[in-house]
Structure formats: C-alpha cells, structure tokens
Amino acid sequence: MDASTTSATALRAAHERFVTAPGAVPHVRDLVAASWRRCEMHGVRPDGSRLPPLHTASAELAAYRRSHPLATVVPLFRELLGAGAADDGHVFAVADADGTLLWVEGDSATMERGRRMHFAEGAVWSETQAGTNAPGTALELGRPVQIVTGEHFSSAVHAWSCAAAPIRDPATGRVLGVVDLSGGGTVATPPALAAVRGAALAAEAHLARTSTAPVRMPGAVGCDDVRLNVLGRDSALLECGGRVLRLSPRHSEIALALALAAHGVTGDRLAVELSDREVSPSTLRAEMTRLRAVLGPTLLGSRPYALLRPVRTDLGEISDLLAEGRVAQALARYPGPLLPRSDAPVVVEQRRCLEQQLRGAVLGSGDPELLRRWVAADWGADDLPGWSALAHALPGGSPQRAAAAARAHALDVERGIPPQVVRHAAVLQRSRS
C-alpha cells in the first residue's frame, strides 16, 4: 500500500475503525499499523484532544539551539527545502533526537495553522507525545518516513501530510535529530520524501566535511553554576555557563542519581539505582567513560562517582516550594513527570514521591483554581479524586461544579469504583489541608 495513493477518506475510515473497535486490524501500511499500536500502548489520545506539549521556554530554547550541532546545517535546509515554501504552502522543521522542534520555517499561513496545533518551535513531536507523525516516527524507526492525512494517529493532524528523515553523526552513526517537510497535498508525494532524504544526506555530508571528531554538545569544563532540568522531559537538560547540553536518556538517569547523592555513590550502588537487572561493572564503567567525555573531568569524578560542582535541579526546587507550603508556585513550575519514560529505580521512586507530594498538596488545598489547573493538565485529566475535589470546592449550583461532578461520575463509571470510595478520598484530602 502506497502512502501517496491511498485516499484521505479511506485512511480516516481505517483510523475510525481502529480507535472505536478494540482489536480491529487496521487496513493501512504496516509501518503505520505498528505505529498506531505503539501510540495506543503509550496512551496517546487519537481524538486530538491533547496537543503535543511545549516544554521549552524561549530563552532556554535559544540557548539550546545555539549549541546544538544541527544549527550549522539549518542554512542548508533553508536553501534545499525553504525555497518555494510560500508557493507550495509547506514548512520545514528541524527537531532534536527527542522530537523537540528547534526550527520551523516556511509559508507564513501554514506556520500559523501549525502553531494552533502546537507544531511550533519548542513543541515535542515524538511519537509518544504526538502520535504517529513523520518526525516522531522517523526517530522511532531510525529511517525516512512519510505520513499522510489519516495515517496520523491524532485526528487533529488529519488535514496534514509530512515527510521526515533522521540525521546522523557521520563519525558515530548516532541520531542527532530529524528534518521534516509538512503541509498539504504537495507533501503527500514521492518527491517530498525524496527531498527530505536528500536534505538529510546533504546535512550529514556537511557535518563530515566540517568536523574531524564525533559531533557532540559543548562540554561543561570550568563551569561553577550547574543546573539539571529533569521534569516533563525524557532527556535531561544540563545548563552550565550559559551553555545547554541535552543528555541521552541513560546519562540523564545517571546525572540525576549523582545529583541526589551529594557525597557521591559507589559503582555497585549506582548500578542498583539504574536498573532492576544486574548491570556489570564493565558496562557501568563504559557508560561513565562516555558521560565523562561529554561533561568533562572537572565536573564528573570517580571513586566514588560524583558530580564535582553543586548542582541545582528543577526537581529539588519544586520539592523546596512544597516544603515551604507554596503550592501555587510549585504547580506553576511543574512541567510534568520526572523523566517519564525511565524505569530506573531511582527515577521511579523520585517521580512517585514528587507526584504524591504535589498532588496531595493541590487536592488538600481546596483551592478551586489550583484544582482546575491540576485536572486540566495531562497528568491530572483522569484523576478521579481531583475532579471530585474540584466539584466540592466550586460554588453550589454553578455550571463549573456540575461539569466537574459529571467528569468525576464518568471516571467513576469507567473504573467501576464504588461512589463511597470516591467520596471518602475527597473527604480525606480535605481533612489533610
């Protein structure tokens, strides 16, 4: 089945059958069917009711873009993909290896349409956050991908088509990011896929010519002010001396474990904190060697493993705000769960503790505005006691109270939880305030 020849109507019908009939076999291309199943497993909503998250503030994004290795090839993409954007009504985008859009340029009307669904700089278009889409699925599969109209898992993107190709470090083969074309019918064609393939190859050739060493972010040597951002993202950002370094998922887990261990940690203990399965000493040493090559020897020490500079974390800052009773400020600065895709024991435990503390503080506050913000977020949308607490906190007879109560009732019915349990949970939260 070819992506460019299947009708939009047939694709949307296949999508409707898949999301409304559990176990239905989707009549779409194999790569699309596999992607839809991954999206379903990760809890992505197919109805377009949740837009991809915007995780990066403008100042942070600007610093990160300046230091990213793909910054040097953006002018090349403008020449290869940006020309004719206004005539064809398309945009090109460059994302990092986690699917965060770093540059989005092209036709102004198409860019505005994209912004309304968060296809904009700073938004995360990984498959787990945005569903099946060319940039996210290309990163998931490690190869060029074209996704047209109803092949997108989220119905909010069914009017769009896109083609994307990953870009690799020529020296190591590591994926640095992805280049994408998005728009209307002109992008649902074989030439569009060929264009992004060619652009990715041209970028890799440029990187090979201009770099004699593996491409990596600037190290943190000589930096005294270090900050680690680990909330609401799958890969940590380490800020040091005005530079921003995005760590790999495994290095993110290690950096967090070391930041939490003020006096360092032995290799045996670190191995236990990183995995429920046995991690051999040689494997851990190799991983630490790679991390030291990234961070520099003046930041990462050994025997025991430790960060050699004081490290502030967004996790610690929110914990401090909660300890001071500043619940509104803590909630305002909480972008989402700690390294949400990590299953490292140290991450799982810290994630659970922070979520329990923040959720308990919000539900116990009895503040309608805080409760409204909690249930409006992705992590609180299905929080039955949260909706129940909001209903009790709102004025009697108000439409908002009725809506919150209806949502709580719907969740109650979905889960088959006896109503008295829900009422007891809400009363218990209020009694703790």
Side-chain angles (χ1 to χ4, degrees):
M1 187 180 297
D2 185 87
S4 62
T5 58
T6 306
S7 74
T9 301
L11 288 172
R12 289 173 183 171
H15 180 271
E16 179 69 17
R17 284 195 300 272
F18 180 77
V19 301
T20 57
V25 177
H27 298 292
V28 292
R29 294 183 293 150
D30 288 345
L31 78 86
V32 174
S35 175
W36 284 3
R37 293 189 184 101
R38 288 194 298 271
C39 294
E40 193 174 46
M41 179 180 67
H42 289 299
V44 180
R45 290 195 172 181
D47 59 4
S49 59
R50 290 188 188 173
L51 298 176
L54 287 161
H55 280 168
T56 310
S58 56
E60 179 185 287
L61 177 64
Y64 179 46
R65 293 199 313 181
R66 284 195 299 270
S67 60
H68 198 279
L70 294 183
T72 63
V73 296
V74 172
L76 180 64
F77 292 145
R78 291 188 181 118
E79 181 180 346
L80 295 175
L81 303 175
D87 293 334
D88 291 339
H90 70 252
V91 298
F92 77 86
V94 181
D96 70 5
D98 291 321
T100 300
L101 301 182
L102 303 182
W103 292 270
V104 180
E105 301 182 11
D107 176 61
S108 57
T110 306
M111 287 181 66
E112 179 56 35
R113 287 174 53 217
R115 275 191 286 269
R116 290 197 290 270
M117 65 176 190
H118 285 192
F119 192 83
E121 293 169 354
V124 183
W125 277 73
S126 64
E127 207 178 64
T128 57
Q129 297 284 2
T132 307
N133 70 93
T137 304
L139 288 171
E140 188 75 27
L141 301 179
R143 63 182 177 86
V145 166
Q146 186 169 44
I147 301 295
V148 303
T149 60
E151 290 182 331
H152 291 91
F153 189 71
S154 170
S155 60
V157 200
H158 281 181
W160 291 71
S161 293
C162 47
I167 307 157
R168 298 181 181 275
D169 177 354
T172 66
R174 178 172 61 94
V175 172
L176 301 172
V178 65
V179 59
D180 166 79
L181 268 179
S182 289
T186 58
V187 185
T189 58
L193 183 58
V196 294
R197 278 179 171 147
L201 291 172
E204 292 171 356
H206 175 85
L207 293 171
R209 288 194 305 271
T210 57
S211 177
T212 58
V215 178
R216 70 166 190 252
M217 307 291 285
V221 177
C223 176
D224 293 321
D225 183 22
V226 185
R227 175 182 170 83
L228 188 68
N229 295 313
V230 290
L231 296 177
R233 60 182 74 251
D234 295 321
S235 293
L237 291 184
L238 189 142
E239 300 177 18
C240 183
R243 293 169 292 184
V244 181
L245 171 67
R246 184 181 291 271
L247 304 180
S248 71
R250 177 53 104 187
H251 287 169
S252 300
E253 295 166 346
I254 294 172
L256 175 65
L258 297 180
L260 293 170
H263 302 294
V265 62
T266 66
D268 289 344
R269 179 61 190 171
L270 184 57
V272 171
E273 292 188 339
L274 293 177
S275 179
D276 289 325
R277 298 178 294 276
E278 183 177 354
V279 177
S280 70
S282 60
T283 298
L284 182 60
R285 282 196 298 271
E287 200 66 68
M288 298 305 290
T289 298
R290 286 190 285 269
L291 180 57
R292 185 175 289 106
V294 173
L295 299 182
T298 63
L299 185 57
L300 180 60
S302 57
R303 298 183 182 177
Y305 293 122
L307 295 175
L308 303 178
R309 298 284 188 277
V311 178
R312 296 177 294 113
T313 68
D314 51 355
L315 168 68
E317 290 169 355
I318 290 182
S319 296
D320 289 343
L321 288 171
L322 290 172
E324 297 167 5
R326 299 164 64 186
V327 182
Q329 294 92 327
L331 182 58
R333 294 176 63 174
Y334 180 71
L338 167 66
L339 299 178
R341 297 182 71 179
S342 171
D343 59 3
V346 65
V347 176
V348 172
E349 176 63 17
Q350 292 294 322
R351 182 195 302 142
R352 182 186 63 79
C353 288
L354 182 63
E355 287 178 346
Q356 285 182 345
Q357 291 170 7
L358 182 58
R359 179 177 179 274
V362 171
L363 269 63
S365 71
D367 184 325
E369 182 55 34
L370 295 184
L371 291 164
R372 189 180 287 111
R373 283 160 53 192
W374 178 262
V375 298
D378 286 351
W379 51 86
D382 296 326
D383 188 337
L384 174 53
W387 283 102
S388 182
L390 176 60
H392 282 86
L394 290 167
S398 70
Q400 294 83 1
R401 177 170 182 155
R407 177 60 177 156
H409 178 71
L411 290 170
D412 178 14
V413 171
E414 271 181 31
R415 301 182 184 183
I417 300 175
Q420 60 269 26
V421 174
V422 179
R423 290 194 294 271
H424 175 71
V427 170
L428 183 60
Q429 290 294 345
R430 291 198 301 277
S431 69
R432 290 174 177 170
S433 60

